């Protein structure tokens, strides 16, 4: 009994060594077998790729020869050698004299579809079976028909068609040549590497013209086995659809044809399977406990790494978007100054133009262009969170109803709009127009993701978080949120696109015109509300689409009713106003505009000189209009300085660069009101009237 005690601790060490040895053997064997399998598949794939290249080249050359023959016939028709004596074609003139390669019959039909001439009594194929349509063919296009039975030879055929023009250059009709379907397969029957190899030729719409494959394989998510080379249009891939197959796909872009070669992986791997069976027989025993423990540790480590990677990715996205936002805000601010001068002077010039005159029409165009520029600047500032925005408490449901009402009237064919609302009466604090724009941009983006139609689903709900939560684009703190989701059934979002999704001017849809600011504006709006965005997508899955969920903090404050505004443009009564802006053109513009409105303006381009003038004569001025961003002194700093000797002087701060941060800073130093650049004449007049009438005498 005493002798056996020292052996007990050694027993676990023996099993540990045995288990580690078995695990090492499994890893080495599996890696070797996997490498051998890849080599076997790559070798078979290379053979399939070379064969597909040769067959595609043969098919292209054969069809090109038929096209050349048709073009020769068309040339004879054009120079009048055959017209109007179409009867000369009958009697096998073309098969013997022109010798169209591969072609078995030739027909000439006019633009009404009537047969003018033929090389045999066989019926011509149905004109509606061609792709592209015969009526849409240009002089350089060639159309291909669906397979049809050839009554003369008794074998299936396909036809090529080209148009010919009459003596006036208009569409005269079409030349149609038939060739056996088997001609499309070329030398495949002789060059087929194995009995399991299959070949087919498909038209651009997916219709099979020749071969034994019933459908054009979907290889969008297949595994690439061979790196792309300069001589290949497509890779050889490994596809699993119940049976794994090697697929080589090549196209003839000009004719819209796709040639597909396949081989069963089971047959290709027969030699490797014998080797794998022999090698795996020596590594069947594993230590189950050690495998389970290793699996558990690996999963825990993977979760930790995934969490760190997600946080790092989110931080990188946030920093990149903030940098782009700062740049966009600065550019928009400078552009705002230019746009303010254009809009202001255009409005004043329009006031002096005679209605209906050429000058009035031209100025109206200038004003419309300036307002479009203003809208673009507002979108850039929405992304950068630098726009001067109003903040109020509002219900979100009426805004979503308004967006969906507009969308319902303009849905493209095939798009179905579905909605589910589970947050009645939910309120937000901020600018309601931003929510309108964010929802509209998301819905527009979803519709563009479904060019062939699908379901656009919009839903809302309440979400309460008890602890912080990270989503794909942002971090949510505990609290109550509106969860607003917009989902589509498009192709989904690729991983490499996800990192740039909300960057301004980034787009993957080159065919759509626009500024590329749609999703960037959505990100800016959500960030300004203090929320976050969660994007979920599984690219490659059928109708997987993408789901954008906006989390916006719920407001429990009471609704604020907006006061009605007068439609008339109020004027001044000779009050003296000081204007401060570092842009001389804007100061001159403001002086002219305010003088027209009935005020006495005095402009300064140096805020320090303006402060000195205010200190010397504090009772001379009825109000101060100042820009915010100036090199010597900001507008809020100027206001803070003058409050020491003019606490009651109304101050109107005008800036296109600020947002809620500017509003809070302005309120803290005593600014009476904040307006966003560029201002229109009526907007400025209303603001000044409200500002001056609210001041108590004395």
């Amino acid at each position: 009994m005493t002798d056996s005690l020292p052996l007990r601790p050694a027993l676990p060490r023996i099993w540990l060594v045995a288990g580690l040895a078995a695990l090492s053997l499994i890893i080495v064997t599996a890696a070797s077998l996997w490498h051998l399998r890849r080599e076997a598949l790559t070798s078979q794939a290379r053979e399939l790729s070379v064969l597909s290249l040769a067959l595609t080249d043969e098919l292209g050359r054969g069809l090109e020869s038929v096209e050349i023959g048709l073009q020769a016939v068309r040339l004879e028709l054009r120079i009048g050698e055959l017209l109007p004596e179409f009867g000369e074609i009958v009697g096998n003139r073309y098969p013997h004299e022109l010798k169209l390669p591969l072609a078995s019959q030739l027909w000439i039909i006019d633009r009404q579809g009537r047969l003018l001439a033929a090389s045999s009594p066989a019926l011509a194929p149905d004109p509606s079976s061609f792709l592209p349509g015969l009526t849409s063919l240009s002089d350089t296009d060639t159309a291909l028909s669906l397979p049809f039975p050839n009554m003369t030879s008794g074998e299936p055929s396909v036809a090529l068609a080209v148009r010919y023009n009459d003596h006036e250059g208009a569409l005269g009709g079409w030349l149609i040549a038939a060739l056996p379907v088997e001609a499309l397969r070329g030398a495949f029957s002789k060059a087929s590497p194995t009995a399991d190899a299959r070949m087919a030729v498909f038209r651009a719409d997916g219709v099979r013209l020749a071969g034994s494959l019933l459908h054009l394989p979907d290889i969008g998510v297949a595994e690439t086995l061979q790196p792309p080379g300069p001589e290949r249009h497509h890779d050889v891939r490994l596809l699993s659809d119940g049976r794994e197959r090697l697929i080589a796909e090549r196209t003839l872009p000009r004719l819209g044809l796709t040639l597909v070669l396949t081989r069963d992986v089971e047959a290709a791997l027969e030699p490797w399977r014998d080797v794998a069976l022999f090698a795996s027989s020596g590594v069947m025993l594993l230590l189950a406990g050690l495998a389970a423990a290793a699996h558990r540790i690996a999963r825990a480590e993977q979760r930790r790494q995934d969490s760190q990677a997600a946080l790092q990715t989110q931080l990188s996205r946030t920093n990149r978007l903030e940098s782009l936002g700062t740049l966009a805000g600065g550019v928009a601010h400078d552009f705002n100054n230019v746009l303010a001068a254009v809009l202001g002077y255009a409005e004043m010039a329009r006031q002096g133009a005679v209605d209906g005159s050429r000058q009035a029409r031209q100025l109206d165009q200038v004003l419309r262009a300036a307002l479009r520029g203003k809208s673009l600047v507002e979108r850039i500032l929405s992304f950068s969170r630098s726009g001067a925005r109003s903040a109020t408490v509002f219900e979100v449901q009426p805004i979503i109803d308004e967006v969906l009402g507009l969308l319902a009237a303009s849905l493209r064919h095939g798009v179905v709009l579905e909605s589910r609302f589970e947050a009645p009466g939910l309120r937000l604090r901020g600018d309601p127009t931003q929510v309108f724009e964010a929802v509209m941009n998301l819905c527009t983006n979803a519709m563009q993701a479904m060019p062939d139609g699908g379901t656009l689903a919009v839903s809302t709900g309440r979400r309460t978080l008890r602890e912080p939560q990270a989503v794909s684009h942002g971090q949510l703190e505990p609290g109550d949120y509106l969860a607003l989701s917009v989902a589509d059934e498009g192709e989904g979002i690729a991983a490499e696109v996800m990192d740039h999704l909300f960057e301004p001017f980034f787009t993957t849809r080159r065919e759509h015109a626009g500024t590329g600011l749609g999703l960037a504006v959505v990100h800016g709006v959500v960030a300004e509300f203090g929320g976050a965005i969660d994007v979920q997508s599984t690219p490659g899955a059928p109708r997987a689409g993408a789901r954008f969920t906006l989390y916006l903090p719920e407001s429990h404050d009471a609704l604020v009713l907006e006061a009605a505004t007068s439609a008339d443009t109020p004027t001044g009564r000779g009050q003296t106003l000081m204007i401060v802006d570092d842009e001389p053109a804007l100061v001159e513009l403001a002086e002219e505009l305010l003088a027209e409105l009935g005020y006495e303006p005095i402009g300064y381009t140096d805020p320090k000189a303006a402060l000195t003038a205010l200190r010397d004569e504090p009772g001379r001025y009825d109000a101060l209009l100042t820009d915010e961003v100036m090199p010597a002194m900001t507008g809020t700093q100027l206001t803070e300085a003058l409050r020491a000797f003019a606490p009651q002087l109304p101050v109107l701060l005008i800036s296109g660069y600020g947002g809620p941060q500017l509003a809070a800073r302005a309120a803290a130093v005593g600014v009476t009101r904040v307006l966003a650049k560029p201002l229109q004449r009526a907007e400025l007049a209303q603001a000044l009237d409200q500002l001056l009438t609210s001041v108590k005498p004395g």
Side-chain angles (χ1 to χ4, degrees), residues 49-65:
S49 176
V50 172
L51 179 58
S52 69
L53 179 62
L55 291 174
T56 304
D57 183 64
E58 179 188 15
L59 175 62
R61 284 187 282 105
L63 295 180
E64 183 180 2
S65 65

Side-chain angles (χ1 to χ4, degrees), residues 350 353-365:
R350 182 62 180 86
V354 178
D355 290 341
S357 65
R358 180 180 180 185
Q359 182 184 15
R361 291 194 301 271
Q362 291 172 344
L363 288 172
D364 287 339
Q365 292 294 335

Side-chain angles (χ1 to χ4, degrees), residues 128-423:
S128 65
S129 67
F130 284 85
L131 184 77
L134 294 184
T135 57
S136 64
L137 281 182
S138 67
D139 290 340
T140 59
D141 290 341
T142 301
L144 283 159
S145 74
L146 296 174
F148 63 94
N150 191 315
M151 294 188 303
T152 301
S153 62
E155 60 183 4
S157 299
V158 294
L160 276 72
V162 298
R163 66 175 280 171
Y164 70 86
N165 299 328
D166 58 20
H167 64 282
E168 296 180 352
L171 172 64
W174 299 275
L175 304 174
I176 302 175
L179 60 154
V181 164
E182 190 61 29
L184 300 180
R185 289 167 50 87
F188 174 75
S189 57
K190 299 179 181 179
S192 176
T194 58
D196 61 281
R198 299 289 182 268
M199 175 226 179
V201 179
F202 295 90
R203 208 168 62 170
D205 56 357
V207 174
R208 176 171 59 94
L209 301 182
S212 55
L213 295 175
L214 296 180
H215 303 288
L216 182 64
D218 181 9
I219 62 174
V221 294
E223 177 188 359
T224 300
L225 290 177
Q226 223 174 311
E231 76 284 355
R232 294 200 311 275
H233 295 292
H234 294 277
D235 304 327
V236 179
R237 308 190 179 204
L238 179 65
L239 185 71
S240 176
D241 58 348
R243 288 182 62 86
E244 287 186 317
R245 292 174 296 158
L246 289 171
I247 295 182
E249 175 187 351
R250 297 184 183 276
T251 61
L252 292 172
R254 193 176 61 80
L255 293 174
L257 292 179
T258 301
L259 185 144
V260 180
L261 283 179
T262 71
R263 275 207 66 190
D264 286 342
V265 171
E266 290 290 330
L269 290 179
E270 280 293 341
W272 172 85
R273 196 174 290 107
D274 295 337
V275 176
L277 182 62
F278 176 78
S280 60
S281 61
V283 289
M284 296 298 294
L285 297 177
L286 293 172
L287 295 176
L290 180 61
H295 178 67
R296 195 175 300 117
I297 294 172
R299 289 192 61 182
E301 179 64 18
Q302 186 63 45
R303 283 195 297 269
R304 185 185 67 83
Q305 293 179 358
D306 290 345
S307 177
Q308 289 181 347
L311 290 175
Q312 184 64 34
T313 300
Q314 189 178 107
L315 179 61
S316 176
R317 287 174 180 166
T318 301
N319 291 338
R320 184 168 62 248
L321 289 173
E322 286 181 354
S323 299
L324 288 170
T326 302
L327 175 62
V331 172
H333 169 256
D334 291 340
F335 183 61
N336 249 337
N337 287 335
V338 177
L339 196 60
V342 173
L343 187 60
Y345 281 114
E347 280 193 321
M348 288 192 295
R350 182 62 180 86
Q351 290 291 324
V354 178
D355 290 341
S357 65
R358 180 180 180 185
Q359 182 184 15
R361 291 194 301 271
Q362 291 172 344
L363 288 172
D364 287 339
Q365 292 294 335
V366 173
L367 286 171
R368 279 192 284 270
L371 290 176
R372 286 196 298 270
K374 178 182 178 182
S375 176
L376 177 58
V377 170
E378 287 176 352
R379 297 183 70 189
I380 296 175
L381 292 175
S382 293
F383 164 74
S384 66
R385 287 173 272 162
S386 300
R389 294 280 188 172
S390 60
T392 185
V393 178
F394 61 94
E395 284 192 8
V396 72
Q397 188 61 50
I399 296 175
I400 299 176
D401 291 339
E402 183 180 358
V403 173
L404 298 187
L406 292 174
L407 289 174
S410 60
L411 287 177
R412 68 158 57 100
H413 179 71
V415 176
V416 179
L417 181 61
E418 292 184 355
S419 59
R420 187 179 74 256
F421 304 126
E422 299 176 354

